[in-house]
Amino acid sequence: MRLWLTVLFISILTGGSYGQRVSLVLSGGGAKGLAHIGVLKALEENNIPVDNIVGTSMGGVIAGCYAAGYSPDKIEHLILSREFLDWVSGEIDPEYKYYFYEGTIRPAIVSAEFSLDSTMHAAMTSSLASDLSLNFALADRLAQPGQIAKYDFDSLFVPARIVASDIFTQTEVVLDSGSLATALRTSLSVPFFYKPIRIKGKYLFDGGIYNNFPVDVASREFEPDVIIGVNVSSKVYKEYPYQEDDRLLQRSLLFMLLDKSDPSVIPEHGIYLEPDLGGYDAFDFRKARALIDSGYQATIRNMDEIRAKIGRRVTCDELTDKRNEFNDRNIPLRFRDIEFHGFNSKQRKYLTRLYGLNNKETLTYEELKRGYFKMVSEPFFRTIYPDIVYDNELEAYTLHLYGRPRSNLTAHVGGVIASRNISQAYLGTEYYYFDNYLLKLGLDVYAGSFYKSARFSSRINLSSFKPVYLEPELVFNDWDYIDTDDIFFKDNDPTVLNMTDRRYTLNIGFPVTNKFKGVIHGSWLNNDNDFSNSGPVTSIDTLDYQKLKGFRFGFELSGNTLNRRQYANQGRLVNLSLDYFQMEEQYLPGSTAMGDTEVISDHQWFRVKGTIEQYFKKGKYSTGYIAEGVISNQPYFSNYMASLINAPAFYPMQDSKTLLLQNFRGFNYVAGGIRNVFTLNNLLDIRVEAYVFKNFEHFIRRDDQPDPGFEFNDDVSLAGTAGLVMHTPLGPVSLSANYYDDKENQFGILLHLGFLLHGDKSLE
């Protein structure tokens, strides 16, 4: 009797702590949800038990990872890694990028996707962020915990509930079973930011839309004795941010659906934690370390209250043993099958070949991962959603690929505004058709005073034992150099030259490892060039006229991992080409020519060209180099200018293609340069670059004819630039001072907004 009274007395004093069940509730809040990791660290360090966990949005991701057997330290290590930043930014690890599907680099700034059905009804689809890497990372890291729990969230390391939203019925959805990876990804589907995920026939969105602080879910599902509620969705600004409102407007609108959490929903015997996150916003993933520390400090400050209300303790050693026992039941990732959902039989056959499963009984994890990123390297497949589920009959895992609604029509708008008369507008469009092949029709149009272009292409991707594509294209280009003077240096002599080329090409492409592709090409060329042989012309002058028409055949090996379309500071570009030309030249002299003889002649030549550009980044500094060389037996044309304008050229700087640089052209040359990039912040770079060009054949004006011999020239030509580059959503903003060893274009200052990109000339 006395013993029973003693136990009862101790139970009353401790509030029944020996049987206390503790629920942890984690709110949504985007990047601010990383503070939840610090909360978990502090609780474990102080032996506070967590018997079950509920989360929504980013809180759902942290809750799911903890329930899957990841320790707070392991979650923190993952969040602080470079991998995590790639996931949330949509970047693909360079190791897994598949260059074969890369197409023409465009100056597009804004893209819009449309789904065009058989009735010609167009519906716009969009999302601001790519989820390619994030989707695979979740499926990859949560496949084994899901299998251990037999896809029952009550059987995870810690029982869990993940909250999502059904926007059609405007209700919350509590997920308690199924794929843990899919549940977490669903709870992250902020409208307009990430595409929604379909579960049991329903598209579900971010759980924070209707319940951003799911304390009621914890009470209803687990009936705990104590609830610890962690709210990270507090207001970012107590006062209106007058100086920053324009910059913050879009971000704030994205998260306006996430309600500010109400602390009053915590029961009286519960604990409310709100880390100090003033000044942070939902996109501050790069400040992960500080956010985690904020959660840790908030928990430590409230530890006395936590200890007073929770008498039960679980030591770190006990937790480690339990976690190890759970994780030791993992079945290694080995794959026997791929299931396709939302694809017809021909489409499934096409996709299966990409993975090479036809010739193998099993796939390793590495083979599967490479196959996935190979597939999504083609933009049309970037809406496919992956999941990994264990199949008891096969005794192996199965990769499930879900065909979410795809956009088969894409429109691109872009261009550049510049301080010289080289501004241009760009409009592009692509249409896809997918069956047992993938057909892509493309049209690109450039319009400007200096450069005009139209390119129509039709690319058919075939997935045989090795992927291959056939790409016929029609290209029209026109360059007008006469009015591209630098407004800051009016003394530069104008270049009187108009070049028009038309190209009809068939490209046959195939992969050469993941990072390189080979292209065999054949073209019919038809070019017109009008030029002056000496300086400015008057209204009574006539220009020389040259027509070149004929064939070009060749092979190109290329690979590109540069991190930006222009002004890169990481990665590598390699290009090696071998070409044969057979051309007919027709030349009519103008009033600036020294002779008056019409010329018709045939020319044949071979050319080998190689280019490599590479960067090495350490902290905020990148150093890079570019090296290029040309070897050819290209003959001279009718006169000096006719030969010069059709010679291969070295384009070291951003505006080099907009200038006729006579000292940077030749039939045989070597060239190179050093690039230094100092990153002041994530947006602003200082670039300092220097280049050298060595031509082994020197063009000499003599009686209006180039020297017919191969005169060795000891001279070298130098070039350099220094400037600022800001990387913005509208493209780079660059202000630079440029120098060339060229009497007509020696000095220049260039300011431009947007991508200063052009197509290649047909002889390049």
Side-chain angles (χ1 to χ4, degrees):
M1 183 69 175
R2 182 176 297 175
L3 178 61
W4 183 87
L5 290 173
T6 302
V7 171
L8 179 62
F9 179 71
I10 293 173
S11 175
I12 293 172
L13 288 178
T14 61
S17 63
Y18 67 91
Q20 280 181 317
R21 287 176 298 175
V22 179
S23 285
L24 180 63
V25 177
L26 307 180
S27 81
K32 295 188 292 181
L34 302 181
H36 295 314
I37 302 170
V39 173
L40 288 166
K41 287 180 65 177
L43 292 177
E44 286 204 356
E45 287 177 8
N46 287 273
N47 302 327
I48 304 300
V50 175
D51 297 298
N52 45 71
I53 193 165
V54 177
T56 188
S57 194
M58 183 56 75
V61 173
I62 304 303
C65 290
Y66 187 75
Y70 284 85
S71 69
D73 286 340
K74 191 170 183 178
I75 299 172
E76 179 182 32
H77 178 75
L78 191 62
I79 295 299
L80 295 177
S81 68
R82 177 68 201 181
E83 277 184 301
F84 177 75
L85 287 178
D86 288 342
W87 298 341
V88 297
S89 63
E91 293 294 324
I92 297 176
D93 184 341
E95 180 64 25
Y96 292 92
K97 283 186 176 179
Y98 191 59
Y99 182 65
F100 172 68
Y101 289 118
E102 290 294 320
T104 304
I105 298 177
R106 298 178 171 90
I109 296 173
V110 177
S111 298
E113 298 179 346
F114 301 87
S115 295
L116 191 65
D117 62 23
S118 58
T119 65
M120 301 305 289
H121 173 72
M124 184 173 180
T125 60
S126 66
S127 60
L128 296 181
S130 168
D131 59 0
L132 299 176
S133 297
L134 176 65
N135 292 341
F136 191 84
L138 290 173
D140 161 13
R141 284 160 174 77
L142 298 175
Q144 291 170 306
Q147 180 276 325
I148 294 171
K150 302 295 187 288
Y151 306 101
D152 179 358
F153 294 179
D154 283 331
S155 299
L156 291 165
F157 169 68
V158 171
R161 296 291 184 270
I162 308 300
V163 181
S165 297
D166 176 356
I167 64 168
F168 291 101
T169 62
Q170 298 185 356
T171 56
E172 71 176 34
V173 177
V174 179
L175 302 173
D176 59 4
S177 62
S179 166
L180 182 59
T182 299
L184 268 56
R185 173 60 183 81
T186 295
S187 194
L188 280 175
S189 297
V190 179
F192 313 116
F193 195 75
Y194 282 136
K195 287 182 168 66
I197 303 298
R198 189 189 290 272
I199 295 182
K200 296 180 180 178
K202 297 180 179 180
Y203 281 116
L204 300 182
F205 287 83
D206 191 304
I209 296 174
Y210 300 118
N211 191 351
N212 199 42
F213 197 31
V215 173
D216 58 329
V217 175
S219 298
R220 184 173 64 248
E221 294 283 326
F222 297 115
E223 299 180 352
D225 299 298
V226 180
I227 291 179
I228 304 174
V230 187
N231 169 36
V232 297
S233 63
S234 57
K235 289 184 293 186
V236 178
Y237 297 94
K238 294 181 181 179
E239 302 293 338
Y240 187 88
Y242 288 101
Q243 303 302 318
E244 300 179 276
D245 52 359
D246 287 332
R247 181 176 64 85
L248 298 170
L249 182 61
Q250 187 179 37
R251 292 185 172 192
S252 299
L253 289 175
L254 281 174
F255 282 86
M256 70 180 179
L257 298 173
L258 304 184
D259 293 331
K260 183 178 183 294
S261 305
D262 182 4
S264 67
V265 299
I266 296 288
E268 190 173 329
H269 56 279
I271 300 150
Y272 177 76
L273 301 178
E274 184 174 313
D276 181 8
L277 301 176
Y280 296 103
D281 68 31
F283 291 83
D284 282 334
F285 290 102
R286 294 184 180 275
K287 300 177 181 178
R289 193 180 300 276
L291 290 164
I292 293 170
D293 185 64
S294 295
Y296 182 88
Q297 295 300 331
T299 310
I300 295 299
R301 285 195 301 271
N302 289 273
M303 191 53 67
D304 288 344
E305 180 190 1
I306 296 171
R307 287 178 174 277
K309 291 185 176 180
I310 303 173
R312 187 170 132 251
R313 300 288 179 265
V314 176
T315 67
C316 291
D317 288 341
E318 290 175 308
L319 266 181
T320 299
D321 291 342
K322 180 184 176 184
R323 192 172 277 124
N324 289 339
E325 188 276 330
F326 179 85
N327 290 323
D328 285 345
R329 290 150 56 195
N330 282 343
I331 294 178
L333 290 174
R334 185 173 58 91
F335 298 86
R336 291 284 299 273
D337 197 11
I338 300 176
E339 290 285 340
F340 299 95
H341 307 269
F343 300 94
N344 64 37
S345 59
K346 292 180 179 179
Q347 293 170 339
R348 289 196 296 270
K349 187 176 181 180
Y350 178 97
L351 294 171
T352 299
R353 286 172 173 169
L354 291 180
Y355 286 86
L357 194 61
N358 287 342
N359 304 318
K360 296 183 179 181
E361 289 188 2
T362 62
L363 286 176
T364 65
Y365 164 77
E366 185 66 20
E367 289 172 329
L368 189 91
K369 184 174 181 179
R370 289 193 179 278
Y372 171 77
F373 284 108
K374 178 190 294 187
M375 176 183 66
V376 298
S377 293
E378 165 53 58
F380 182 71
F381 297 127
R382 291 181 182 177
T383 59
I384 289 178
Y385 177 76
D387 196 15
I388 297 174
V389 178
Y390 187 76
D391 189 312
N392 290 310
E393 291 185 8
L394 295 176
E395 296 184 341
Y397 290 90
T398 295
L399 173 66
H400 292 261
L401 295 174
Y402 296 88
R404 295 182 290 179
R406 297 178 298 276
S407 301
N408 54 8
L409 182 65
T410 305
H412 309 280
V413 177
V416 66
I417 300 172
S419 58
R420 285 173 46 212
N421 195 22
I422 54 175
S423 300
Q424 66 188 28
Y426 165 78
L427 175 64
T429 185
E430 295 170 333
Y431 174 79
Y432 286 92
Y433 175 78
F434 183 36
D435 198 55
N436 60 341
Y437 57 88
L438 181 65
L439 172 65
K440 178 171 68 174
L441 303 177
L443 176 64
D444 301 284
V445 177
Y446 297 75
S449 298
F450 167 69
Y451 178 62
K452 300 176 183 66
S453 176
R455 175 181 179 267
F456 173 77
S457 63
S458 173
R459 177 161 161 169
I460 304 173
N461 291 324
L462 305 171
S463 64
S464 54
F465 68 98
K466 277 281 188 181
V468 64
Y469 69 73
L470 306 177
E471 184 183 41
E473 60 176 356
L474 307 176
V475 180
F476 168 85
N477 288 321
D478 183 86
W479 292 267
D480 188 352
Y481 290 82
I482 196 168
D483 191 24
T484 61
D485 288 346
D486 192 305
I487 63 173
F488 299 101
F489 293 91
K490 290 292 187 179
D491 293 337
N492 288 350
D493 293 333
T495 300
V496 182
L497 170 64
N498 181 263
M499 303 183 72
T500 300
D501 67 43
R502 291 162 288 271
R503 181 169 76 242
Y504 314 93
T505 301
L506 175 63
N507 299 310
I508 303 173
F510 51 90
V512 182
T513 75
N514 269 22
K515 298 181 180 179
F516 292 90
K517 70 174 177 180
V519 178
I520 299 171
H521 57 83
S523 301
W524 165 255
L525 311 180
N526 188 355
N527 300 349
D528 296 316
N529 302 317
D530 296 279
F531 55 87
S532 166
N533 289 281
S534 57
V537 295
T538 66
S539 59
I540 62 173
D541 285 323
T542 58
L543 301 179
D544 286 23
Y545 170 74
Q546 179 192 45
K547 174 177 278 294
L548 293 172
K549 59 182 180 180
F551 295 96
R552 172 182 179 175
F553 302 96
F555 170 75
E556 179 181 35
L557 177 68
S558 62
N560 186 353
T561 61
L562 297 180
N563 63 327
R564 296 180 182 130
R565 285 176 279 176
Q566 197 171 13
Y567 301 113
N569 67 349
Q570 293 183 66
R572 182 183 65 183
L573 178 149
V574 177
N575 188 282
L576 178 64
S577 62
L578 170 64
D579 286 286
Y580 168 74
F581 299 84
Q582 180 172 324
M583 306 294 295
E584 178 187 85
E585 179 192 16
Q586 299 178 20
Y587 169 72
L588 295 174
S591 60
T592 62
M594 297 184 67
D596 57 2
T597 304
E598 179 180 347
V599 176
I600 298 178
S601 57
D602 293 324
H603 305 285
Q604 300 87 33
W605 70 94
F606 287 93
R607 184 177 72 211
V608 178
K609 181 177 181 180
T611 304
I612 182 169
E613 177 183 350
Q614 187 166 14
Y615 295 88
F616 305 92
K617 191 173 189 301
K618 187 173 182 180
K620 293 183 176 297
Y621 172 68
S622 292
T623 183
Y625 70 89
I626 181 172
E628 185 171 290
V630 171
I631 300 173
S632 78
N633 62 341
Q634 182 171 343
Y636 296 104
F637 292 138
S638 298
N639 66 6
Y640 172 84
M641 282 297 292
S643 300
L644 182 75
I645 63 178
N646 291 292
F650 179 49
Y651 300 122
M653 281 135 54
Q654 75 276 56
D655 68 337
S656 298
K657 282 192 174 185
T658 68
L659 303 168
L660 183 68
L661 301 168
Q662 299 190 32
N663 292 335
F664 291 83
R665 291 175 171 267
F667 296 155
N668 293 274
Y669 68 77
V670 292
I674 299 294
R675 294 171 172 172
N676 300 282
V677 187
F678 304 88
T679 302
L680 300 183
N681 54 47
N682 293 327
L683 298 177
L684 187 63
D685 293 341
I686 298 175
R687 299 183 70 97
V688 180
E689 307 170 12
Y691 303 95
V692 60
F693 178 88
K694 169 61 180 172
N695 188 0
F696 295 108
E697 289 182 83
H698 185 51
F699 292 121
I700 301 175
R701 290 181 188 267
R702 189 174 61 191
D703 296 329
D704 200 31
Q705 296 292 322
D707 187 271
F710 291 84
E711 179 179 286
F712 185 81
N713 177 15
D714 289 330
D715 294 339
V716 296
S717 299
L718 304 177
T721 182
L724 293 172
V725 179
M726 178 176 290
H727 303 279
T728 76
L730 296 179
V733 179
S734 171
L735 176 62
S736 62
N738 303 328
Y739 168 80
Y740 295 100
D741 265 348
D742 186 273
K743 65 179 183 179
E744 292 184 358
N745 304 281
Q746 191 169 30
F747 294 102
I749 293 178
L750 180 64
L751 172 66
H752 76 85
L753 165 62
F755 295 98
L756 189 56
L757 300 172
H758 307 94
D760 292 329
K761 296 182 174 68
S762 61
L763 293 184
E764 291 182 342

